[in-house]
Amino acid sequence: MKERVAKIYERLLDRRYRELRSGKDYSFAEEYAKAGLPLSIRAGDRLLKLAKAEKAVLFEEDRIGMMRTIRKVPPILTEQEQEKIWREHFIFDGAQVNNISSDYAKTLSMGMAGKKREIEAKLKDCAAGSKEGDLYKAMLLSVEAVYVLADKYRAEAEKQGKTELANALKRVPMERPESYYQALVMLRLLNYTLWLNANKHNTLGRFDVYMYPYYKADIENGNLTREEALALTQEFFIDLNFDADLYPGVQQGDNGQSMVLGGCDEEGKSVFNDLSRLCLEASLELKLIDPKINLRVDSNTPEEIYLLGTKLTKQGLGFPQYSNDDVVVPALVEMGYELKDARNYVVAACWEFIIPGVAMDIVNIDALNFPKIMLDTVKAELEKTATFGELMDKVKENIAKDCDRLINSTKNMFMQPSPFQSILMTDCIAAGKDISEGAKYNNYGFHGAGLSTAVDSLAAVRKCVYEDKSVSASELLKALEDDFEGHTDLRNKLLKAPKMGSNDDEADEIAVMLLNDFADSLQGKKNERGGIFRAGTGSAMYYIWFSSELGATPDGRKAGTPFAANYSPSLDVKFEGVLSVIKSFIKPDLKRVCNGGPLTLEFHDTVFKNEEGTAKVAKLVEIFVKNGGHQLQLNAVNRDKLLDAQKHPEKYPNLIVRVWGWSGYFSELDTVYQNQILKRLEFVG
């Protein structure tokens, strides 16, 4: 790491820069309501006002810089307005546009001046007071806001004698970047502005695709060495972390700043390039929670790429996450995405599959609670059903009912307009339509939480109640009611039953059935925007939320015990080896439940102690991909270190762990998340 970059890095970890943020709370909603302003105009004006209020902060070593000084983005609705709207509509995640992927390739190539000309031309054809006219006016306010921010930082750069940055900001974001450096400055400014615009979980998409032309030209022309390109990329990565304390996620670190590397182009040809490698190298040395690296791979991916990814896993960051094009692209096509769009997929904040520029998919709109459906069915039907098949028929019926409930709950949705985000999309300007109102794709995704708990429970019921008859229905129900207190022998029988992850067909076929039931229940259903409902294998935070409210389950799990995160084996279950887990979890038809959600595996960090161990893990990833796994996420952990960090957080301020679809600092997590991570199974070789 270059000395200049090292100083920026040290400043980030020191965290004292946060003291420069203003404590002032801004409020514009009453003013907007009194003037009767349309919501789109309110959003554009708020961004402009905040841009004018922001203070440009640059430190001595910065060549890119930029950090927010305003802590909170104020609402555009008054409390009374919000209460009325919230009462009358379905509201998702604060009614803000978030968790989608901008068309950075087009935006960089046009520059904001090109976007502005397009907006002005469309505005000329709009009737006075029209909805489209208001949107275009709001877009122009948003463009002005970006210009204000750029001018603030240009002036500060000139004041400090930072000629290179000042010259870059004379050109970008207005015009197309002329270099990789200028492209990084522009991208950082756009990302900064999105957060200031109340958008969150802003992905970086296919960075190595849209940034490669600038990188390649500079390298070939001799304007940039690879060493300097690495340093610039590292600074850009560091800068993404400077506002981490302001990002409104469920937990600190839930920032959603994902980056996708590799994969194929619209013709199906591999795009993995030297910039892809450079990004992996930058992340490897920095060891930061952002950006979260995702690797697109397939059956033809060279071993070298798996090895590069595994070296990054070794750092304990919880990424890269792998997505298998051989499964994901056909799955997206089957969902109705055009092939060229499917081949251009990225991941959302965590792992859900989305398309840059043309999709307003809400891929985490809710979740199916597999264990609750299973438990409710067992309690209601166990004493009434003569065979396990009859019980499973009832489970299927209840999955369908709950899917209908989830579908119905999404109707009449309200979403606040986002003119600035609309500018960054592919067709919003041409269509005169805010992205909040939809795009080419408007699909909703449901997570499937707690699958392994439901599978293990049903496998135990089949084994102990229906097959061996070693436990009666009434005995089991009483034990569940008592949370297994006084039922130790019965619980031990349940714990010894087949488990998902053991490559046991008796358990795994239940997983196949449950996921097919999930997919079947959503098949052919349309949301109010004309999109479909996508079933997935992820859990997001529901593995904590759902489990905390659920009583004891027939797998021997006690009340309140967390489920596994994502698509993973149950906690506290021991397996002979990791291959058995992989074999179990690739048996379902994963194309049918391809909203996203990785098989998540933990390895003790001693597995990576030498090159041989690292190579074995890389080979394991390759085996997973070639055998039809859809998504994989590996963690290098050390339970002893985590336990010590829980007792002495001051000793480990920068210890990073994977939580579910994101990574965070262990000491900043709530205890419930820390404890769930500590209970995950560690493979040791």
Side-chain angles (χ1 to χ4, degrees):
M1 189 185 301
K2 286 198 168 187
E3 183 180 355
R4 177 184 64 81
V5 178
K7 289 181 179 179
I8 301 171
Y9 182 71
E10 289 169 7
R11 184 171 71 248
L12 173 71
L13 298 185
D14 182 72
R15 295 180 173 84
R16 281 185 293 179
Y17 65 89
R18 296 178 179 178
E19 298 171 3
L20 298 175
R21 303 202 202 280
S22 168
K24 181 177 179 180
D25 286 335
Y26 292 85
S27 177
F28 315 124
E30 294 290 344
E31 167 193 337
Y32 293 152
K34 194 171 184 179
L37 293 181
L39 295 187
S40 58
I41 297 291
R42 297 187 193 193
D45 186 73
R46 174 185 61 184
L47 179 60
L48 179 56
K49 280 183 165 64
L50 292 178
K52 290 178 177 179
E54 273 285 324
K55 179 182 178 181
V57 175
L58 289 172
F59 294 92
E60 182 181 353
E61 307 83 8
D62 290 341
R63 289 180 67 186
I64 301 173
M66 302 184 201
M67 58 165 273
R68 277 170 54 193
T69 57
I70 296 173
R71 293 182 181 276
K72 295 180 182 178
V73 178
I76 59 173
L77 294 166
T78 66
E79 290 183 8
Q80 293 78 11
E81 288 175 320
Q82 178 172 303
E83 183 181 344
K84 183 177 185 298
I85 293 171
W86 263 234
R87 186 170 61 247
E88 296 174 351
H89 294 269
F90 166 66
I91 303 297
F92 174 73
D93 207 3
Q96 303 284 3
V97 171
N98 66 78
N99 213 11
I100 61 176
S101 187
S102 303
D103 187 345
Y104 285 123
K106 182 177 180 180
T107 304
L108 288 167
S109 67
M110 289 183 67
M112 294 303 288
K115 294 278 188 177
K116 183 179 180 182
R117 288 190 292 270
E118 185 181 358
I119 296 165
E120 289 173 334
K122 298 292 289 187
L123 179 59
K124 288 179 181 178
D125 297 329
C126 292
S130 67
K131 184 178 180 180
E132 292 79 10
D134 288 339
L135 173 61
Y136 290 131
K137 290 175 183 176
M139 286 181 170
L140 291 176
L141 290 171
S142 301
V143 172
E144 185 181 351
V146 185
Y147 285 8
V148 166
L149 288 169
D151 194 56
K152 279 178 180 283
Y153 272 94
R154 178 198 53 75
E156 182 63 24
E158 288 178 345
K159 179 181 177 182
Q160 296 188 24
K162 296 181 181 294
T163 306
E164 185 182 27
L165 179 57
N167 288 339
L169 288 169
K170 288 177 183 177
R171 180 171 183 85
V172 297
M174 293 72 74
E175 304 297 336
R176 182 186 189 277
E178 294 181 315
S179 66
Y180 179 63
Y181 169 66
Q182 289 184 2
L184 287 173
V185 172
M186 181 170 173
L187 183 60
R188 174 65 183 127
L189 184 57
L190 294 176
N191 177 268
Y192 176 115
T193 309
L194 279 170
W195 287 103
L196 197 63
N197 192 52
N199 302 113
K200 67 177 184 178
H201 291 153
N202 301 305
T203 75
L204 295 160
R206 305 190 74 181
F207 181 90
D208 61 341
V209 172
Y210 61 77
M211 294 291 282
Y212 186 62
Y214 306 98
Y215 170 83
K216 183 172 181 286
D218 276 1
I219 294 293
E220 290 180 350
N221 294 334
N223 296 329
L224 186 68
T225 65
R226 193 177 188 281
E227 180 185 19
E228 186 55 35
L230 176 62
L232 285 171
T233 304
Q234 286 178 327
E235 180 176 349
F236 176 77
F237 283 11
I238 294 170
D239 289 344
L240 291 173
N241 289 267
F242 268 100
D243 297 332
D245 56 311
L246 303 181
Y247 298 149
V250 174
Q251 290 276 292
Q252 187 77 48
D254 181 19
N255 308 329
Q257 298 191 130
S258 64
M259 173 182 288
V260 172
L261 304 176
C264 62
D265 60 17
E266 290 184 3
E267 283 73 45
K269 298 177 182 177
S270 173
V271 299
F272 193 90
N273 55 50
D274 191 53
L275 182 55
S276 314
R277 290 185 180 85
L278 187 137
C279 288
L280 289 172
E281 293 169 20
S283 188
L284 180 66
E285 189 171 15
L286 291 174
K287 305 178 184 66
L288 292 173
I289 58 177
D290 282 325
K292 295 155 182 68
I293 305 294
N294 294 264
L295 273 175
R296 283 180 51 177
V297 293
D298 58 38
S299 56
N300 296 314
T301 296
E303 290 184 12
E304 169 216 5
I305 295 175
Y306 292 119
L307 192 57
L308 283 171
T310 305
K311 288 179 179 178
L312 190 51
T313 298
K314 178 181 178 180
Q315 301 303 316
L317 304 176
F319 51 79
Q321 184 168 252
Y322 299 90
S323 298
N324 184 0
D325 283 8
D326 294 337
V327 177
V328 177
V329 173
L332 291 172
V333 170
E334 288 183 18
M335 291 179 197
Y337 295 86
E338 285 188 46
L339 179 59
K340 68 180 181 68
D341 291 331
R343 284 175 168 164
N344 194 37
Y345 80 86
V346 297
V347 299
C350 294
W351 16 249
E352 304 91 342
F353 304 116
I354 57 175
I355 315 299
V358 295
M360 186 55 243
D361 293 336
I362 305 177
V363 287
N364 56 345
I365 201 164
D366 214 326
L368 189 78
N369 188 340
F370 276 116
K372 184 177 188 304
I373 294 170
M374 171 278 304
L375 186 59
D376 288 348
T377 306
V378 166
K379 288 181 175 180
E381 306 292 344
L382 189 61
E383 294 182 305
K384 302 176 186 177
T385 50
T387 67
F388 182 69
E390 291 178 20
L391 182 68
M392 288 302 296
D393 287 342
K394 294 295 183 181
V395 171
K396 181 174 183 176
E397 287 179 19
N398 289 332
I399 287 175
K401 289 178 182 177
D402 209 51
C403 283
D404 286 343
R405 177 188 65 80
L406 292 172
I407 288 169
N408 290 329
S409 73
T410 66
K411 293 179 180 178
N412 194 28
M413 181 172 65
F414 168 77
M415 189 173 289
Q416 298 181 54
S418 184
F420 180 67
Q421 177 68 81
S422 301
I423 293 171
L424 305 188
M425 304 305 282
T426 306
D427 301 317
C428 285
I429 298 174
K433 185 178 180 181
D434 190 272
I435 189 60
S436 64
E437 297 178 341
K440 182 177 180 179
Y441 302 110
N442 302 286
N443 302 320
Y444 296 167
F446 292 134
H447 300 308
L451 177 70
S452 54
T453 294
V455 170
D456 294 352
S457 294
L458 289 167
V461 168
R462 178 168 61 184
K463 175 72 173 173
C464 298
V465 177
Y466 290 100
E467 293 180 355
D468 295 352
K469 301 187 185 301
S470 59
V471 177
S472 69
S474 60
E475 286 175 328
L476 177 58
L477 294 175
K478 183 65 168 67
L480 295 175
E481 181 183 342
D482 295 340
D483 198 18
F484 296 113
E485 292 298 323
H487 303 274
T488 302
D489 290 343
L490 185 152
R491 183 172 183 246
N492 286 336
K493 289 179 184 178
L494 299 173
L495 291 171
K496 292 176 182 177
K499 298 286 185 287
M500 187 182 185
S502 300
N503 193 25
D504 185 313
D505 287 339
E506 288 190 14
D508 298 341
E509 70 176 0
I510 297 174
V512 172
M513 287 189 283
L514 291 180
L515 289 178
N516 279 336
D517 292 344
F518 188 15
D520 289 343
S521 298
L522 301 178
Q523 191 76 35
K525 307 286 177 68
K526 295 284 186 179
N527 64 41
E528 62 184 359
R529 295 185 168 200
I532 65 167
F533 292 92
R534 307 182 347 180
T537 51
S539 67
M541 58 282 179
Y542 295 99
Y543 71 101
I544 295 293
W545 291 0
F546 285 167
S547 61
S548 65
E549 299 175 352
L550 194 70
T553 46
D555 57 343
R557 169 191 158 276
K558 290 198 169 188
T561 302
F563 305 151
N566 301 326
Y567 186 55
S568 310
S570 296
L571 302 179
D572 294 328
V573 176
K574 305 301 181 185
F575 299 104
E576 291 185 4
V578 67
L579 279 175
S580 71
V581 176
I582 288 176
K583 288 177 181 178
S584 282
F585 280 78
I586 62 175
K587 288 177 184 177
D589 183 354
L590 295 167
K591 291 193 296 295
R592 302 199 66 209
V593 286
C594 215
N595 184 62
L599 170 58
T600 304
L601 301 172
E602 321 289 326
F603 289 88
H604 195 279
D605 59 10
T606 55
V607 170
F608 303 91
K609 63 184 177 183
N610 53 40
E611 291 184 6
E612 181 183 0
T614 302
K616 284 182 178 179
V617 175
K619 192 67 178 177
L620 190 71
V621 178
E622 184 179 8
I623 290 171
F624 174 84
V625 171
K626 289 187 173 180
N627 282 276
H630 66 326
Q631 208 168 24
L632 181 67
Q633 197 270 308
L634 306 178
N635 303 322
V637 296
N638 185 311
R639 183 175 283 111
D640 291 338
K641 182 185 290 186
L642 294 178
L643 285 168
D644 193 50
Q646 197 173 48
K647 294 177 182 176
H648 308 286
E650 71 283 354
K651 292 167 54 179
Y652 303 90
N654 299 307
L655 176 60
I656 295 172
V657 292
R658 187 74 167 190
V659 186
W660 63 81
W662 52 277
S663 301
Y665 295 107
F666 185 77
S667 62
E668 295 179 344
L669 299 177
D670 287 349
T671 304
V672 65
Y673 291 99
Q674 291 182 345
N675 289 341
Q676 199 275 352
I677 292 167
L678 285 164
K679 288 173 70 68
R680 295 175 187 174
L681 172 68
E682 290 180 8
F683 291 100
V684 293

